[in-house]
Amino acid sequence: MTLNIAVIFGGRSVEHEISIISALQCINAIDRDKYEVVPLYISKQGDWYTGKHLLDLSNFRDLDLLLAKSHRVILNQNSGRANFYLEPKSIFTKRSSISIDIAFPVIHGTYGEDGSLQGLLEIMNIPYVGCDVLSSAIAMDKVTTKILLQASGIKVLDYYSFYSEIWIGSRDAVLSDIKTKFTYPLIVKPGNLGSSIGVTAVNDDVALEDAIDLVISLSQRVLIEPHITNLKEINCAVLGDRDFAEVSVCEEPISSEEILTYQDKYSGGGKNKIGVCLGKGASGGMSSAKRKIPAEMSQEMNAKIQGLAKQAFISLNCSGVVRVDFLIDQNTNEIYLCELNTIPGSLAFYLWEPLGKSFTDLTERLIELARKRNREVNNLTVSYPDNILKA
Ligand SMILES: Nc1ncnc2c1ncn2[C@@H]1O[C@H](COP(=O)(O)OP(=O)(O)O)[C@@H](O)[C@H]1O
Ligand SMILES: [Mg+2]
């Protein structure tokens, strides 16, 4: 029996477009002899759609037309089997359904990478690719990640964080706290976003205030860190689960500016907007960024980073593929773990290819891991057969 894989993408997230690119790359990689792919697109408003037109990146130029040609779907559970009802286009057409065997979430950021979608899939008992609810939620929150990594003995950069209402109510006190703790230059970033959105390097009070104002329009929590000016960035992916995890080769992303920007990550550098990627079919996204693979560094440093990546993955009980990003201060050679990307752009497929694992092999392994976890979860007792209310 061919299994139906629902690739879920888009979503109510500022990284919506990145998700579309990553998802279409993933759909192209999945072995069609073994699996039927069902695209499930969540619009910016949160409506769910399926249909063949969602498989072509160029159709996303005109969203209104695309959605008019696609089918609205309703998630449903029928005696333990999940399916999607396709909303009839008119009252004269019948309602049809598609069964879902495995979900492959490729939503970056809010409501997709942060554990909320994973929670919905858990409730529906649909096996799903990638991290579970807790590890997704932890990795999405940069402050919680730092606290837990520190508890596991992994070095992270010192930080100061606060919620937006504290900034609105006591701006001067917050500024004074920051300046007591740190000296410029600093980095200001949102507590729970990705793709460098809202990340700013600041050198003075005016820029600091502007950067914080920008972050509170995007996120409820602000994070301030010292700015590593002589920086080397290294990323390393980890694949597996807590029973068996393997590490990829390391990459060094190259930035065109002071910090690695949204454009560096998705448009190969320069000042291009994300729209530039759309012209290249499904070949844009994180895989089109400038990078050195393998990263140039000593064998000792390479082994240390791979070890830390695996330690972090297991400490947070991650599963699937996670890209772990590090910041190295080249003045001191100190390695700081920056963040874990549980739905890394392009699923970091390009970090496995040098090890002989194709993108198709990677998707196959991710699907296997999803089924394994679902079997393990279904072995747990969740209800008793006796109805004690009978008595
Ligand atoms: N403390 C720092 N010092 C220097 N550069 C930083 C620092 N923190 C972040 N950056 C730069 O900003 C980029 C984005 O920051 P990051 O914390 O990874 O957020 P995101 O989740 O948006 O990717 C990093 O890839 C790096 O180039
Ligand atoms: Mg990052």
Side-chain angles (χ1 to χ4, degrees), residues 142 194-196 233 260 265 323 325 338-339 341:
K142 288 188 160 77
S195 299
S196 298
E233 294 190 58
L260 198 63
K265 290 178 179 177
R323 201 192 69 228
D325 295 356
C338 176
E339 59 165 346
N341 297 285

Side-chain angles (χ1 to χ4, degrees), residues 209-252:
E209 290 191 48
D210 287 350
I212 296 173
D213 284 332
L214 170 67
V215 168
I216 66 163
S217 71
L218 297 163
S219 171
Q220 289 184 309
R221 207 177 205 186
V222 184
L223 179 58
I224 316 265
E225 289 174 350
H227 184 179
I228 303 177
T229 46
N230 191 5
L231 176 70
K232 186 179 179 87
E233 294 190 58
I234 299 289
N235 303 336
C236 174
V238 186
L239 171 67
D241 58 14
R242 61 175 182 265
D243 291 337
F244 178 74
E246 47 191 327
V247 287
S248 74
V249 298
C250 292
E251 66 164 333
E252 181 179 350

Side-chain angles (χ1 to χ4, degrees), residues 114 136-146 163 191-192 221:
D114 59 5
S136 300
I138 293 168
M140 194 66 209
D141 188 279
K142 288 188 160 77
V143 176
T144 311
T145 301
K146 279 181 187 277
Y163 285 101
N192 65 344
R221 207 177 205 186

Side-chain angles (χ1 to χ4, degrees), residues 263-290:
Q263 285 75 26
D264 287 322
K265 290 178 179 177
Y266 304 113
S267 309
K271 297 272 184 197
N272 297 329
K273 288 276 174 263
I274 190 65
V276 171
C277 288
L278 299 178
K280 299 185 197 158
S283 64
M286 192 65 190
S287 58
S288 66
K290 285 194 191 137

